[in-house]
Amino acid sequence: MTLALTRSPSTDADPELAALATLPVRHRVQWGRWLAVAVAVVLLAQLTVSAVTNPRFDWPTFGAYLVSPTILEALWFTIQLTAIGAVLGFLLGGLLALARLSGNRVLAGFSFGFVWVFRSVPLIVQILFWGYLGALYPTIGLGIPFGPTFVDAPTKDLLSPYTAAVIGIVLHQAAYGSEIVRAGILGVADGQHDAARALGIPPGAHLLRITLPQALRTIVPPAANEVIGLLKGTTAVFILALPDLFYQVQVIYGRNGRIIPLLLVAVAWYAVLTTVLSIGQHYLEKRLARGYGASIRTTKENAA
């Protein structure tokens, strides 16, 4: 058994390389970075002290209403609207994304038109439209298209303000969710699709077992960001006098005139909900990346 000993190239053969190798490490004091840190700390401390000591913030009123039953009920209503809008919106958005990628021109055109319309109209306008749909169509009927109507009812009886708000939020969210899901599916390598077809895997199983699990790593970050935006976008339902968090805060400070502390109550709860969603996003991304990271480590170990 013989051992082959290898020697690294000597720097003596190249004077320039030797000169570079013997340069001492210079430890420079990064004054700019320390100055920026000092400025940030001073500003943060100044803002904190001013907020605590300024009596106009009225912290006793803030504490009195932060966990009051009225605020907690409105908070639960906001969470419900956000959850319904996110779940139904992304389900519908996923179907629209599949229609856009199906290759059928009619379905792709319908999906494109849907996304274009509902991304063009502001959410508050959509909620107003559905809330006052009875002004355009006094009755809604069920029957044969372009033919007789068998059953009809007044629109105001079928479409309550809550239902109108849910429809507006879901359709608005579906338009944005469709593009997020479509981007995730397009991010999967074409070789995965070719391999699935070569193995004879049915399209449904290919979508559920191969494409979507890989696309989720791309979908989750923008989808979570969109849900956080939807959480604050639910404030638009105040236009229909629905008792969400923002509307209820407005009602309370309309009675007692304590505008600043009541707005701070809303800000505090939105910050809490956003933090919870951000933590959930972090752990979901970490879980989805486990297999991906393991495959990268295995490849590196095999290459070594």
Side-chain angles (χ1 to χ4, degrees), residues 264-283:
L264 287 175
V265 168
V267 169
W269 278 119
Y270 283 123
V272 169
L273 294 178
T274 300
T275 303
V276 172
L277 290 174
S278 299
I279 293 173
Q281 174 191 351
H282 169 74
Y283 283 104

Side-chain angles (χ1 to χ4, degrees), residues 195-220:
R197 284 193 293 267
L199 293 173
I201 299 177
H206 170 218
L207 176 66
L208 295 176
R209 295 176 178 269
I210 298 176
T211 302
L212 285 181
Q214 297 181 70
L216 281 176
R217 287 197 299 269
T218 306
I219 291 173
V220 166

Side-chain angles (χ1 to χ4, degrees), residues 65-84:
Y65 283 98
L66 182 63
V67 291
S68 65
T70 304
I71 293 296
L72 293 181
E73 289 177 6
L75 179 67
W76 176 240
F77 186 84
T78 298
I79 294 173
Q80 285 181 319
L81 276 182
T82 304
I84 293 173

Side-chain angles (χ1 to χ4, degrees), residues 171-196:
L171 295 181
H172 176 82
Q173 190 62 35
Y176 287 91
S178 171
E179 293 300 283
I180 293 174
V181 175
R182 187 170 70 91
I185 294 175
L186 290 175
V188 179
D190 292 337
Q192 301 287 337
H193 307 290
D194 298 336

